[in-house]
Structure formats: structure tokens, C-alpha cells
Amino acid sequence: VLDTRVSKSGLGIAVLGRELGLAVHYYFPARRGEDYLTPTRQQAAECGAILEPMTAGRIGIVYARAQRQEFLGGGFMLPLGFPLYETVLATASIARAVAASGYPDSGTLIVAVGTGTLLSGLMIGYAELGRLPVKLCGITSSMDPHKVLKKLHAHHARFLDQPPGIRPVLERLYYRTRLVKRGQDYYIPASLTVPFPAHPWYEGKAWASLEENIADLTPPILVWNVGS
């Protein structure tokens, strides 16, 4: 698995590997002279993961180098960012339950966006119930909104005809979805206090954007916690 400097997915895979009896190679970008043994990586090593620091650079290039190294050793590389179809389905299921409860039946739903996987599931969950009053606002500091849209279309291509009637609802929901690119660097955490358990690089930035733009958002406002 390749992890970024701020993600905890490598630790999660290390825990799973320990439970399943699988060897885990935990790749990550490391700058020259940097003390890369962060608390998260230390915990992963304690769970049995083999730490594999890679020379820092563009994350796609680092991933390709790590993938080549892993394949040569007979291993398997998990996808970068975990844009998994199963995650889309699981998020859609939760979104359906939230939408079916009637909250929010209007207003704005805010979610931190990386690969767009969770936002894809939210859109599908609401579209399946035909719930269009809610406006969706995705906050990203790591990816260009146009790239996020491409990923959303790729996830949704498998849903356009199942269940019947979802295509027009989902297409209309795109017009109610807004993607905001924050100027803050991905590796700089949000410094404000968030009134619920939050990852400072994800929900923290979504909360900061909410505070900055609250006058332009339709209440009530629901912040979707990505579970960090």
C-alpha cells in the first residue's frame, strides 16, 4: 500500500494484514533528512508492517515506482487512494438511510473530497430515493475539481440504468453539486477547532470552508464525516 504523509490508510491495512496473516509493505514519500517515523507509521510497524520510504515526488510517480518494486517482489499493490466500487456502494447505503430518515430534506450537505469516492456514493444514495432538495458541496485541497468530476462520472457509469429511473435523477443532481478547490496546500492542516472528532486535513478543511462561505450556503447544513 502507498500512503500519503497525512493519511492513515496504511495503518488500517497493517492492522488487517496482521489479522489475516499477510505481509504488508507500507510505502510512503519521504523527504531527504526527514524523520519519517511518525506516530501513525510507528503504530503500523508495531502491527508488523514493513516500512518502505520512497524518495518524495509527484504521488503518481511515487506510486508507479512502489508498484514496480512490489510486483518484482511478487506482491500486489492496492489502488492509490482506495477509489473502490465497494466503498461507493457502502456510502450509498448509508446515504439512503440518512435520506430516508428525512434529514436533511433541504439545505446543504458538505463533504471533504479526495478521490471523489464518498461523494459518488452520496449522490447515488440520494438519487436512488429521488431526493433532490439537498445541495451537495465537495471541498477538495488535493485534486482539481475537473478530475473529481471525471471520477464521479466513472463511478456513476455503472448505475445509469440500475435501478430503473436513476439516470435522470442522478444527472439533475450533478447540477446541484458544487466542487470547491481550497487554496490551502494539501499538506497543511486546518488550524481551527472543529466541534466534532475530525481529521485536520479533511473534515477540518471542509469545516473551515463552511465558516468562510456560510452566508452563501442554504441551511440546514450537514457535514458528512468521512470517518477519519
Side-chain angles (χ1 to χ4, degrees), residues 182 184 190 192 194 203-213:
R182 285 186 57 80
Q184 189 175 21
L192 77 172
V194 182
E203 290 95 345
K205 292 181 179 180
W207 188 264
S209 184
L210 183 157
E211 290 192 345
E212 293 164 2
N213 301 283

Side-chain angles (χ1 to χ4, degrees), residues 22-203:
L22 298 173
V24 173
H25 288 220
Y26 182 165
Y27 295 90
F28 53 89
R31 294 175 176 173
R32 185 173 299 175
E34 175 185 56
D35 180 10
Y36 61 78
L37 198 58
T38 62
T40 296
R41 291 169 187 157
Q42 177 67 48
Q43 288 177 288
E46 291 171 358
C47 290
I50 301 170
L51 301 183
E52 303 275 10
M54 307 290 288
T55 301
R58 294 182 65 86
I59 196 66
I61 296 174
V62 176
Y63 180 83
R65 286 173 26 229
Q67 185 180 50
R68 181 174 183 274
Q69 180 173 318
E70 194 61 27
F71 282 175
L72 289 174
F76 174 80
M77 199 72 180
L78 291 171
L80 180 61
F82 296 91
L84 304 177
Y85 183 63
E86 291 82 359
T87 305
V88 175
L89 294 178
T91 306
S93 176
I94 298 171
R96 281 195 301 271
V98 173
S101 72
Y103 183 82
D105 61 359
S106 62
T108 307
L109 179 58
I110 291 181
V111 61
V113 174
T115 61
T117 306
L118 295 185
L119 181 57
S120 296
L122 287 174
M123 293 176 71
I124 291 167
Y126 274 86
E128 284 181 328
L129 291 181
R131 300 293 293 276
L132 286 180
V134 172
K135 295 179 181 178
L136 291 169
C137 183
I139 311 298
T140 176
S141 63
S142 61
M143 188 174 293
D144 183 270
H146 294 292
K147 291 184 179 180
V148 175
L149 278 175
K150 287 183 179 180
K151 291 182 178 292
L152 293 179
H153 284 296
H155 286 309
H156 294 159
R158 304 175 71 168
F159 285 88
L160 290 182
D161 297 309
Q162 279 297 330
I166 193 176
R167 179 191 292 264
V169 182
L170 191 56
E171 289 177 348
R172 278 186 287 157
L173 191 52
Y174 269 93
Y175 290 101
R176 303 185 65 83
T177 301
R178 176 187 175 198
L179 290 168
V180 178
K181 179 74 163 67
R182 285 186 57 80
Q184 189 175 21
D185 186 271
Y186 173 66
Y187 292 110
I188 300 176
S191 58
L192 77 172
T193 301
V194 182
F196 54 85
H199 194 304
W201 282 270
Y202 294 98
E203 290 95 345

